[in-house]
Amino acid sequence: LNDGFAAAIGAESVDALKEKVREQFEQQMEQSRNQMIDNQILGFLNEDVDIELPQHIVFNETQRQVNQMVSRSYEQGMTETDVEGSQEDLVKSAETQAKNNVKTMFILDEIAKKEGLTVAEEEVSQRIMMMAMQQQRPPKKVARELRDKNAFGEIRQDILISKTIEFLRSSAKIT
């Protein structure tokens, strides 16, 4: 580890490289900490609230979960026979996850309403710009595709949920 190596990977010096790595670790630690807090908050909300869930929404979310689980299974090297053999467990697991997801969304939506949290058009535009940068595509093209899929509502909902979770995290008393 020397300045030549540091320069080869885009750092000014070994010290600058060490500082950059330290910053990345600190960011990862903060993200991990926030994720743990978010999980505890959401777990508490789900545990403490009992509501009747619309079956058609739970069914649609279950289908989405099954599709994701099957895709992950194939990515992990499972064969079609393996997936078919575990289909019953997969559906049960997906249904449980779907119920939790739907319940969480209803709870977070209600909190957002009570707290007056909203999503501005500028926030939607920023999210589309970020998506375009990640995909390395022109923002107008990404926006057009999203509009054609009627996905602006989904993006708006994702932003609102993120803002609500952030609100809850900032309001939480951490012990």
Side-chain angles (χ1 to χ4, degrees), residues 108-168:
L108 292 174
D109 275 344
E110 196 60 33
I111 291 169
K113 285 178 195 168
K114 288 194 188 249
E115 294 300 327
L117 301 175
T118 59
V119 177
E121 288 302 317
E122 181 180 299
E123 292 171 301
V124 174
S125 296
Q126 287 174 346
R127 177 68 60 96
I128 292 169
M129 293 292 281
M130 283 178 28
M131 291 169 70
M133 283 177 43
Q134 289 171 342
Q135 297 172 14
Q136 297 179 349
R137 297 176 57 216
K140 287 183 180 181
K141 192 171 194 169
V142 172
R144 191 173 336 141
E145 289 174 4
L146 291 168
R147 186 189 65 231
D148 292 347
K149 293 180 197 175
N150 292 325
F152 284 123
E154 216 174 286
I155 290 172
R156 187 177 300 284
Q157 181 68 16
D158 287 347
I159 294 169
L160 184 62
I161 295 303
S162 295
K163 287 175 78 170
T164 306
I165 291 171
E166 189 176 311
F167 166 78
L168 291 170

Side-chain angles (χ1 to χ4, degrees), residues 1-9 11 13-19 21:
L1 199 59
N2 59 33
D3 287 340
F5 174 77
I9 59 172
S13 65
V14 171
D15 290 336
L17 178 61
K18 287 179 181 178
E19 183 59 31
V21 169

Side-chain angles (χ1 to χ4, degrees), residues 29-39 165 169:
M29 292 286 288
E30 184 66 19
Q31 287 174 344
S32 186
R33 179 179 179 276
N34 286 341
Q35 187 66 49
M36 285 180 7
I37 292 168
D38 295 351
N39 288 343
I165 291 171
R169 187 182 331 116

Side-chain angles (χ1 to χ4, degrees), residues 71-96:
S71 292
R72 268 185 265 145
S73 296
Y74 287 136
E75 287 171 5
Q76 294 171 353
M78 290 180 74
T79 65
E80 192 170 333
T81 307
D82 294 335
V83 172
E84 287 174 4
S86 63
Q87 187 174 9
E88 190 175 319
D89 292 336
L90 205 111
V91 171
K92 283 181 185 176
S93 178
E95 186 174 12
T96 300

